[in-house]
Amino acid sequence: MALPSSSSINSQAKYDVFLSFRGEDTRDNFTSHLYAALCRKQIKTFIDYDGLKRGDEISPVLLKAIEESKISIIILSKDYADSKWCLDELAKIIECKNMNGQMVIPIFYHVNPSDVRKQTGSFENAFVIHEKCFKELKEKIQRWKDALTEASNLSGWDSMMIRPDSKLVEETVKDVLKKLNYRSPSSHWKDLVGIDSHIEKVVSLLCIGSLDFRVGLNEKKSYKEVNNMEEKAVTV
């Protein structure tokens, strides 16, 4: 099945970024700094402030927010896999990546990417507990493991390689801006081939700032004459 184009994904998106993180690990430190930095760049970011109030199942609101985001950032921290809600988010993110072409950025925050990929270390310990508590959910647990493996194979950022956290935040925001292809209005004009001649014609027709134009208005040029000038400018 063909994936939708990036333009169709963008047109359906409500958020630029969805943040997936383990609240107890990073909510009040790295994640809060990253969220603030994204907001300063006017990047519309979904963050779950009610993570500690969740019920047994992941909220439909969260699932919808993931679906409606252009990029998902997964902050893989030491106890990320302890939370089945985080793992459900991750599985949904990977599903959206594979089905809809959603962009995904993993951040390995104080964890070894190999532990995430192979579910060793703290991630192994988390799954030992999950397999004991959710014996009837073998397929779901395997889906979580597969999602972790796939996420760890994506291009992302390693906090052990980029220090301090402020630098990691800066690099992540740059990456997001690049992926969103954000550009200032001025840069659009500079890249348009042949735009200068068209701008000159418009200015010439409108006689912006010229004495003749001001005198013409003072002499009460007819509305029809002025309107004709505007129409010419629009059709340039």
Side-chain angles (χ1 to χ4, degrees), residues 206-223 225-227 229-230:
L206 292 176
C207 302
I208 295 175
S210 72
L211 179 62
D212 291 343
F213 184 65
R214 292 196 295 271
V215 171
L217 290 179
N218 289 335
E219 292 177 351
K220 297 182 180 180
K221 272 191 173 183
S222 70
Y223 171 80
E225 287 177 280
V226 175
N227 191 47
M229 292 171 64
E230 291 176 345

Side-chain angles (χ1 to χ4, degrees), residues 114-125:
S114 178
D115 285 341
V116 180
R117 184 178 301 110
K118 300 176 182 178
Q119 291 92 60
T120 54
S122 64
F123 287 79
E124 180 180 21
N125 296 335

